[in-house]
Amino acid sequence: MVSTDSSPAPSIGTASPVTDEIATFALADLAGAPGWRRPVIVERELLILTTRGHGDAELDFHLLPCRPGTLLRVRPGQVLRCAGPQFDATVVAWDPEALRDFDVDLTTTATWRQLAGEDEDAVISEVSQLAVDCRRHPDGPTARALLRHQLAVLLLRLAVAHDDRSPSRPEDETFHRFRREVEHGYPHTRRVEDYAAELGCSVRTLTRACLAVTGRSAKQVIDERVALQASRLLAATDQPIAQIGRRLGFSEPTNFGRFFSREVGVSPGAFRAARDQPVAGRVVRPRPPAESTGVNGGWFRPGTSGEPANGGYATRSGPPTGGPGGTGRA
């Protein structure tokens, strides 16, 4: 959740008429402004089930194709836009407290999944029943318990598909521990040495793990996370560029500008100027559901193309040529 300063970020998940810990509503209710003029920052956990039509959802500057039976998993902090949507969807939103005391691993739910067959029927049925019960039983301890159990069953059903994944390697565990530390620490430090000390391992171990999982060094993983957050704030808020830089640990605007230009390929100002133009001509084609592992918290690299691979980290294909609407250099 971004800070509430004089230029708050448009956000979704909190503006719904239903403010309880679990809510369901239509896709149109997520737009921060009519027509999804710019991306909005998500503040709650979301599942988005496409029910009719075809279109693309822009999640962290990547287009994900949607048609009936498409399920999107959107995490707090990601930016979302469905500009000119030609599809309808049911949205399930919840707060972490809703799953207290349930053994549900949220990291196993893929960011994009095309449901089919019995899985599609079961998920559609459970989402539909959850929506009905949210309307019929909006309050009361028994109603809350019912909705919490229904949400847990839905998420557990989605997690079952991952039970057949190949055994993890030692590098996988090291990488995921590192990623969790980076998620908390990136505004404060970009030094690999700091994360290695926190995890009780060597810089070499971290780099080896990152290379094995993503094909990128530990320093690149950190810098990409900082660049992603900068891109989110530039696209979805009106905060001054210098202020965004300070929030991300840059004492001088020029240092932030050089960093962002190196990572993304355009200046922060050019990236922001292009934010009202939806991404065009660049669609992420996720792997088949049986192989999809999600994006591990939504770490798409701004401006890259191609399907999320290596655990969901997009492979570097060159910086974009036009900010959020760029297509990347060949």
Side-chain angles (χ1 to χ4, degrees), residues 150-166:
Q150 287 177 325
L151 176 63
V153 168
L154 172 60
L155 294 172
L156 288 169
R157 183 177 296 281
L158 295 172
V160 165
H162 293 264
D163 285 348
D164 296 330
R165 289 179 297 176
S166 58

Side-chain angles (χ1 to χ4, degrees), residues 42-56:
V42 174
E43 292 191 347
R44 299 179 75 181
E45 306 278 359
L46 300 180
L47 283 177
I48 301 176
L49 175 65
T50 304
T51 55
R52 185 176 66 86
H54 295 71
D56 295 310

Side-chain angles (χ1 to χ4, degrees), residues 168-181 199 201-210 213:
S168 62
R169 303 163 295 173
E171 293 86 356
D172 294 329
E173 177 60 27
T174 299
F175 170 74
H176 289 301
R177 291 176 58 219
F178 172 58
R179 185 183 59 79
R180 286 192 293 268
E181 289 298 326
L199 294 172
C201 63
S202 67
V203 169
R204 183 176 180 180
T205 295
L206 285 186
T207 296
R208 184 167 57 246
C210 290
V213 176

Side-chain angles (χ1 to χ4, degrees), residues 37-41 58-62 79-81 224-239 241 244 248 256-257 259-280 282 300-304 318-328:
R37 187 174 64 85
R38 67 175 64 162
V40 290
I41 295 180
E58 183 185 329
L59 182 61
D60 273 350
F61 316 108
H62 285 249
V79 291
L80 176 70
R81 170 162 54 184
E224 288 176 0
R225 181 62 184 90
V226 175
L228 172 59
Q229 191 64 20
S231 299
R232 289 170 171 174
L233 295 173
L234 288 167
T237 82
D238 292 321
Q239 295 174 35
I241 293 175
I244 292 174
L248 296 175
F256 173 60
F259 169 86
F260 190 86
S261 297
R262 184 187 75 233
E263 288 295 310
V264 180
V266 295
S267 70
F271 190 93
R272 170 164 279 176
R275 66 182 174 181
D276 291 342
Q277 300 297 321
V279 173
R282 174 162 50 82
F300 286 125
R301 174 175 167 75
T304 55
T321 57
T327 58

Side-chain angles (χ1 to χ4, degrees), residues 24-308:
T24 61
F25 38 86
L27 177 66
D29 294 334
L30 293 180
W36 294 82
R37 187 174 64 85
R38 67 175 64 162
V40 290
I41 295 180
V42 174
E43 292 191 347
R44 299 179 75 181
E45 306 278 359
L46 300 180
L47 283 177
I48 301 176
L49 175 65
T50 304
T51 55
R52 185 176 66 86
H54 295 71
D56 295 310
E58 183 185 329
L59 182 61
D60 273 350
F61 316 108
H62 285 249
L63 292 183
L64 297 171
C66 297
R67 61 184 176 86
T70 299
L71 189 71
L72 302 180
R73 169 76 165 93
V74 185
R75 294 162 171 81
Q78 291 188 285
V79 291
L80 176 70
R81 170 162 54 184
C82 301
Q86 298 176 324
F87 62 97
D88 296 328
T90 298
V91 181
V92 179
W94 71 93
D95 298 324
E97 184 67 14
L99 295 174
R100 178 173 47 85
D101 300 328
F102 287 99
D103 185 16
V104 178
D105 183 1
L106 295 178
T107 65
T108 61
T109 306
T111 290
W112 181 97
R113 183 177 177 185
Q114 185 60 49
L115 302 170
E118 294 180 349
D119 285 341
E120 181 177 15
D121 293 340
V123 171
I124 289 175
S125 176
E126 288 165 3
V127 169
S128 299
Q129 189 62 53
L130 186 59
V132 168
D133 288 336
C134 280
R135 290 194 302 269
R136 293 181 58 202
H137 310 293
D139 200 7
T142 303
R144 289 194 183 93
L146 172 66
L147 297 179
R148 292 177 64 226
H149 279 80
Q150 287 177 325
L151 176 63
V153 168
L154 172 60
L155 294 172
L156 288 169
R157 183 177 296 281
L158 295 172
V160 165
H162 293 264
D163 285 348
D164 296 330
R165 289 179 297 176
S166 58
S168 62
R169 303 163 295 173
E171 293 86 356
D172 294 329
E173 177 60 27
T174 299
F175 170 74
H176 289 301
R177 291 176 58 219
F178 172 58
R179 185 183 59 79
R180 286 192 293 268
E181 289 298 326
V182 172
E183 190 63 30
H184 292 103
Y186 73 85
H188 312 294
T189 179
R190 299 191 303 279
R191 298 178 70 250
V192 180
E193 293 83 355
D194 294 338
Y195 294 100
E198 187 69 25
L199 294 172
C201 63
S202 67
V203 169
R204 183 176 180 180
T205 295
L206 285 186
T207 296
R208 184 167 57 246
C210 290
L211 288 171
V213 176
T214 72
R216 318 186 65 70
S217 71
K219 185 65 169 67
Q220 287 173 317
V221 168
I222 298 168
D223 286 347
E224 288 176 0
R225 181 62 184 90
V226 175
L228 172 59
Q229 191 64 20
S231 299
R232 289 170 171 174
L233 295 173
L234 288 167
T237 82
D238 292 321
Q239 295 174 35
I241 293 175
Q243 180 180 337
I244 292 174
R246 287 194 297 271
R247 288 184 56 175
L248 296 175
F250 296 89
S251 59
E252 296 294 333
T254 53
N255 293 338
F256 173 60
R258 283 195 295 268
F259 169 86
F260 190 86
S261 297
R262 184 187 75 233
E263 288 295 310
V264 180
V266 295
S267 70
F271 190 93
R272 170 164 279 176
R275 66 182 174 181
D276 291 342
Q277 300 297 321
V279 173
R282 174 162 50 82
V283 179
V284 176
R285 296 294 180 186
R287 287 171 286 179
E291 299 175 20
S292 179
T293 58
V295 296
N296 295 322
W299 286 24
F300 286 125
R301 174 175 167 75
T304 55
S305 59
E307 77 177 60

